[in-house]
Amino acid sequence: MKQKVITMLFVDLKRNFVTIGKDEEANLDIGQTWGHKTAGWLNWSDLLDHRRVVLLAEASSGKTEEFRNQAQTLVVQGKAAFFVRIEDLADDGFEAALEPSVVDAFKHWCDDHADEKGWFFLDSVDEARLNHKSLEKALRCFARELHRGVERAHVYISCRVSDWKCCEDRAVVERLLPVWEKAAQPEYLDEDAALLDPIFDKKHGANRAYTSNEEPERKLEALLVVQLIPLNTEQRYVFAAAAEIDRPKDFVEAIELNGLEAYAERPGDLLDLAEYWKSYNRFGNLADMTEHGVVMKLAERDKFRPDNRDLPTDKARHGAERLAAALTLAKSFTLRAPGHEPDPSLATDAIDPITVLDDWTDAERNALMRQGIFSPSTYGRVRFHHRGTQEYLTACWFNRLLQFGCPQTAVWDLIFTTLYDIETLVPSLHAAAAWLAHFNSSICNEIIRREPLVLLRYGDPRSLPLEGKEQLLLTYASRHAVGEISNDSLDHRSLWMFATPDLSDAIRQAWSINDRYDFRIDLLRLVREGVIRSCTDLARESVIDEKANDYLRIVALEAIEACRDIQGLAAAARWVKGAIGRISARLCPYFASILFPFHLTVNDLLEILKHSPKPNNDSPREIDNVIGELWKRCPEANREQLLAGLADLALSQPFKTEYIRISAQHYGLVENLAPIARDALTNQGDAKVSDGLIRLLMAIERADRNLSRDEEKIGIKDLVTQNPYLQRRLFWADVEEIRQNTETGENRLSRVCEIFFYGDIFWQLGPSDLNWLFEDLSERPLEADKQIALNAIVLILTSIGALQDELPRLRLLIAGKVMLEKDLEEYLTPPITGNHYCPVNS
């Protein structure tokens, strides 16, 4: 089937950049895990602050589109920004290379009287060099036309990494487009101080201030060299949606599930995958998609590039295989970029392509190194865009040798070895050997005999023939049972690729061969990942076996869920209901998350929470940390029941301390209730607030957390204070709780400022609460409550300067009530100033 070609306009993917180090490759995992700032990543906003930047990127990375879009964006913002191709600049000069519509803007910017900054995007050094244009000549013309504007100009240059001559080109940029750091203002000494300078050793001169006759040293601002960060999941989704791909979410998830992230790091890569997806509505296996990626990255997308005629496609493939094999066998990952002079200050493990492709011409080698299959590494170094590609091409090279008559023993001796009388594989060749196993059955069988897990960890486990998979699994079972396999770690994706329903018989045989729990966990993971329904009976037996390892039981339950085994889930739920109080803290969150709400009721869930073991410290239990997700799954009709139950647990005795009146058993649970309360408040609509929600708010108020550092609690406070009905309910609930737990005959609660407890009060009384406070002053049955209402009214009226106007009304309401009349006179003599703390807003 012919693939559909996708064309599209620019999509702003919010790209990030990282500095290219001199001799150390950037660790891109740090930024994905710990955040952009921690990893030192830059975005366009950061780059636009720099005055000299070089962007090195391989083919299909989108560097030209990024440059063009940034220039247009700045122009829309009213700034001076210009995009030109370096090839045109070298031929015609800068002004002549511009679009006619922006020539006047450039002339205005060049005006000696103008002082505004300008941003200049000079694109594609590599294409200029292909057409025998000089970067130095182009920049000389550019600098001449900038004239006095050089210091005001922010200049950005793009180039494929294979064509950037780091030392030579850097020197050219710094010589023709120098830009100086702004000197710090010197600290001047008086003239007499200078007389003492000769007395001191000159080596201490850096520690003294400048005299009035000295000029601060000028320093050349460093040229910043960066590369683009590979696309992440969110950027892939944005791109897929813009490309009008059907089911873009499924498309992105399929990329990750099939292990294709390495082939979706650049916009051009993503276009290739999108075309494949649109043509076949799926992705092929990893072996097919890796081959597809190699073919596409060795093909130049620009069919009119001059170097297309220098290197036939077949020769490019052979050369890539030779370079990959050389790197793998030398235990290296970097190649010296073409045209780079030796630099003794750089690492020496980079391989010069000339030593590998010594029968090629310079033009052929350079054309290969410009292809998208290579990516920047460090200064003057490139690498295969992904390690998996290098490993796959190494296997292709081994296979080509065998096909062309190389003795199998020669390849065999490279891959296999014996260490301490144990037959194994050369560690550095595990991945290449796994890929080679797809081409050569004898290699495959020998790997299974020696190191079966190599074929699960590397290569494409899904592409192995069924007979090979079964042999691998049974060999693994036997060798693991007798302790011959020490490292049995397998990642989720490898198991997903390996597991298929037709493995059910082999899984059963392996189960009977090896009863070690860690091995059986891997078998249950296969059942889960491959949705092997004919093996769910193994999972059912494991999930209710109280003697079994906790993690094995968790994986068993996940396998039952993945296979949609309703009877198995019901059996697990029956066990849970009968085992409450015996379920380990580790099992509780997994069983609750999978079985609630379809197999466990709200009452069941609350019982699990009630009897879940308390940790030794104050940290939340594992089940406490999943309560938010359980709330989201709870049916609307049962949410009030869940709210009330959670509140009862949180406020149950014994308390943590005399002052922290939160359940000692469920203290960690309370720390996870704020999002639930906020969601309930946000979605309650016009319905009246329930008793359960009021009690839940009381529990969160009393949690040991600082309100100023807790956004969830701040959000709750805002919702409470905006709702007078809610304030009223929570206010009196707090009063009643304090009265029950702290009040004695000698300590009678009668003032607002006495409503105090450890934690944070959500309500904040103000003028909008006066109506219900007046009502409660008349109707509350307890005299102490009326005293509190009167105190609150007086505080609010005093704060807004309305007390004198409302005094007649107050006196009428409390007439004949001795205690209230006495309180009012006390408030008026002297009048309340409101300077002491009370939760009242004016």
Side-chain angles (χ1 to χ4, degrees), residues 157-177:
I157 300 171
S158 75
C159 184
R160 290 194 186 184
V161 62
S162 54
D163 290 272
W164 181 256
K165 302 175 182 178
C166 57
C167 296
E168 178 183 331
D169 291 341
R170 173 185 285 273
V172 168
V173 174
E174 292 178 342
R175 175 167 53 84
L176 297 177
L177 300 173

Side-chain angles (χ1 to χ4, degrees), residues 787-799:
Q787 287 181 276
I788 293 171
L790 175 62
N791 180 247
I793 291 170
V794 173
L795 285 168
I796 295 170
L797 291 175
T798 301
S799 70

Side-chain angles (χ1 to χ4, degrees), residues 446-458:
E446 186 63 18
I447 294 175
I448 290 173
R449 188 180 73 83
R450 293 177 179 235
E451 294 281 355
L453 293 190
V454 165
L455 295 177
L456 266 171
R457 294 192 182 110
Y458 304 102

Side-chain angles (χ1 to χ4, degrees), residues 229-491:
I229 298 293
L231 300 178
N232 60 28
T233 300
E234 182 180 351
Q235 290 168 326
R236 291 178 194 131
Y237 178 80
V238 171
F239 190 92
E244 299 181 351
I245 295 174
D246 292 336
R247 300 173 289 118
K249 183 178 180 181
D250 293 345
F251 171 75
V252 173
E253 288 178 351
I255 287 174
E256 297 176 0
L257 194 58
N258 285 274
L260 302 178
E261 294 97 331
Y263 310 105
E265 293 183 340
R266 304 170 292 200
D269 300 339
L270 213 52
L271 276 177
D272 294 338
L273 290 178
E275 291 170 4
Y276 193 101
W277 180 269
K278 282 195 170 185
S279 298
Y280 302 103
N281 294 313
R282 60 171 180 81
F283 291 128
N285 59 42
L286 183 59
D288 291 342
M289 296 308 298
T290 301
E291 176 63 26
H292 173 78
V294 168
V295 170
M296 298 301 292
K297 288 173 179 57
L298 283 174
E300 175 58 55
R301 297 186 73 91
D302 181 359
K303 302 304 179 185
F304 299 99
R305 278 178 65 95
D307 59 343
N308 283 344
R309 59 180 178 270
D310 292 335
L311 187 62
T313 302
D314 288 346
K315 191 167 188 176
R317 174 58 180 263
H318 296 169
E321 291 177 4
R322 289 167 65 182
L323 289 175
L327 288 170
T328 302
L329 293 173
K331 300 180 183 179
S332 179
F333 295 102
T334 57
L335 297 162
R336 184 181 296 169
H340 285 270
E341 63 282 2
D343 186 346
S345 68
L346 296 176
T348 58
D349 60 348
I351 292 177
D352 192 333
I354 294 176
T355 63
V356 180
L357 305 177
D358 56 345
D359 53 339
W360 285 32
T361 65
D362 287 339
E364 289 173 330
R365 282 190 295 268
N366 293 345
L368 174 61
M369 301 302 289
R370 291 189 186 104
Q371 299 307 312
I373 203 166
F374 297 104
S375 293
S377 175
T378 58
Y379 281 168
R381 304 289 187 264
V382 298
R383 58 173 174 79
F384 279 96
H385 83 286
H386 190 264
R387 181 172 177 172
T389 301
Q390 176 180 320
E391 294 160 350
Y392 174 78
L393 287 172
T394 300
C396 292
W397 180 78
F398 278 131
N399 188 50
R400 190 182 297 276
L401 290 181
L402 293 172
Q403 288 179 336
F404 282 84
C406 175
Q408 181 164 297
T409 54
V411 175
W412 197 283
D413 291 342
L414 285 173
I415 295 174
F416 299 110
T417 187
T418 300
L419 296 174
Y420 306 107
D421 297 326
I422 298 174
E423 293 182 313
T424 184
L425 283 74
V426 174
S428 62
L429 293 177
H430 279 187
W435 280 117
L436 183 58
H438 292 276
F439 306 123
N440 189 295
S441 59
S442 60
I443 295 286
C444 179
N445 292 334
E446 186 63 18
I447 294 175
I448 290 173
R449 188 180 73 83
R450 293 177 179 235
E451 294 281 355
L453 293 190
V454 165
L455 295 177
L456 266 171
R457 294 192 182 110
Y458 304 102
D460 181 9
R462 176 154 294 191
S463 297
L464 294 171
L466 177 60
E467 181 181 353
K469 287 183 178 181
E470 291 176 334
Q471 182 185 354
L472 185 159
L473 193 56
L474 297 178
T475 303
Y476 172 32
S478 300
R479 294 191 59 192
H480 185 279
V482 296
E484 292 183 0
I485 295 179
S486 56
N487 179 10
D488 60 353
S489 59
L490 296 168
D491 64 36

Side-chain angles (χ1 to χ4, degrees), residues 728-790:
R728 183 183 194 177
R729 292 282 311 278
L730 185 57
F731 174 80
W732 290 119
D734 280 337
V735 169
E736 183 61 27
E737 188 275 336
I738 295 170
R739 184 172 287 144
Q740 288 180 359
N741 290 298
T742 66
E743 192 174 83
T744 64
E746 298 177 356
N747 183 24
R748 186 167 176 270
L749 189 64
S750 62
R751 302 288 190 272
V752 174
C753 57
E754 294 168 356
I755 306 173
F756 177 79
F757 48 80
Y758 186 91
D760 300 302
I761 292 175
F762 285 155
W763 45 266
Q764 188 80 23
L765 301 182
S768 62
D769 300 295
L770 283 171
N771 287 340
W772 64 263
L773 284 168
F774 271 109
E775 185 178 328
D776 290 346
L777 176 60
S778 299
E779 298 180 3
R780 294 291 292 188
L782 291 179
E783 184 176 50
D785 287 352
K786 292 180 179 181
Q787 287 181 276
I788 293 171
L790 175 62

Side-chain angles (χ1 to χ4, degrees), residues 544 566-580 595 599-600:
I544 61 174
I566 303 302
Q567 293 181 353
L569 293 171
R574 286 193 297 272
W575 174 82
V576 168
K577 294 174 186 179
I580 288 176
L595 298 175
H599 300 278
L600 293 176

